[in-house]
Amino acid sequence: MTNVRGLETELKDQFFYVAEYLFKEEKKAEAAPLYRYIIDRETDPHDRTFLLCQFRLFQCLVGVSSEGNREALANFEAFYSDLPEDIRLDAVLLMANVCYSLSDWKKVERYGEELHTLAKNIYQNLINEKNVKNLQMERHLVVYYGHGLRIKGFILSMQGRYEEAKKYVAQYSDLGWFEFLDETGKKEVEKFKTWGKGNMFILELNTGNSSILPEFMEYLEGNPDIILQGMLAAVESANKFNFSVDDMLKKFCGKLPPINADVTYINGTQLFHFWFEKAKYSFNRNLMINGIDELLYALYLAHKMKYYTGFEKCASLYREHSDYATEQQKWNYKHIVEGVFDL
């Protein structure tokens, strides 16, 4: 019996070693069955390797499918709190991002708060010990600290508490005081400073302040990786407060990812919401044919990501405006709904 247990342990270790190698080589589809093999044969739910395999499997399964992500999250949530604190940082950040893509704002708030508290506690422990331990998280500690603040600001913004949100944006925009900053950490601090500037513009737009649009456009010109987020915020505010963002759309729409491009679960979600809001913007300006084309873009993305809530929103809005659709648009709509047509 002892020899059998020894062989099982050795086999588990070998599978884990190979799985970790494949995972680090970005071969997640190949690594996932190995992590499942270990999980299915471990009887101790508190075993460190078992818990890490649960997290790795979650990382492997997160993709562009909303329903797949929802299922992966539900299966993982029971295990993440038993992970070591440093590894838990990565787990909680990923969970918050997945919940964002699912529009589950209560869980985004919950995991954002947990991320902030966890990062703050680890940082304080490092300060007290006066040295940097060999922590196992994937990124610099300042990343998790900053994202905790960023999520708190985002949730306040979603609640319409813009002045309170600005306080958190100001905090993550100025993280130069953070100790233990190596070159990587300093670069991350600069990223948060850049994001903070953009989010201050977005908060102004959220209050209907369209006067900042020229300055915001200049900001986006210098930060192309934020164009999608900025364009989404601008068109949402334009729909809410009925102001024009035609100049911005003309300048930046061509720089957005093509509809049939590969997307992640984060930028795919943002791209869906952008085209849905852009369709509403066009309808508000009696540009019906343009609006239906844009709505079809959103519908296609929702279908591609298995984002069923978004799919139904698109279908409902299409039915309201279907009388304006051309025969080609009606054909496109029918074939997207039936799942046999790619734009």
Side-chain angles (χ1 to χ4, degrees), residues 20 26 64 80 95 99 103 111 147-148 154 167 174 180 183 194 196 203 207 215 243 269 277 284 304 311 329:
E20 287 288 272
E26 295 293 328
V64 298
Y80 84 95
M95 293 163 79
C99 291
S103 301
Y111 291 129
H147 276 302
F154 169 77
K167 295 176 184 178
D174 182 20
F180 315 116
E183 285 306 308
T194 300
L203 286 170
T207 63
E215 195 176 355
F243 59 76
T269 300
E277 291 293 328
N284 290 340
K304 182 178 181 178
F311 191 89
Q329 287 173 328

Side-chain angles (χ1 to χ4, degrees), residues 46-83:
H46 302 290
D47 178 77
R48 191 179 189 280
T49 301
F50 170 82
L51 292 168
L52 186 55
C53 286
Q54 290 283 4
F55 177 39
R56 288 285 192 257
L57 183 59
F58 177 51
Q59 290 175 295
C60 289
L61 295 178
V62 169
V64 298
S65 166
S66 292
E67 290 307 302
N69 289 348
R70 193 186 306 277
E71 183 179 351
L73 177 69
N75 289 335
F76 176 62
E77 281 181 307
F79 302 101
Y80 84 95
S81 60
D82 289 326
L83 286 165

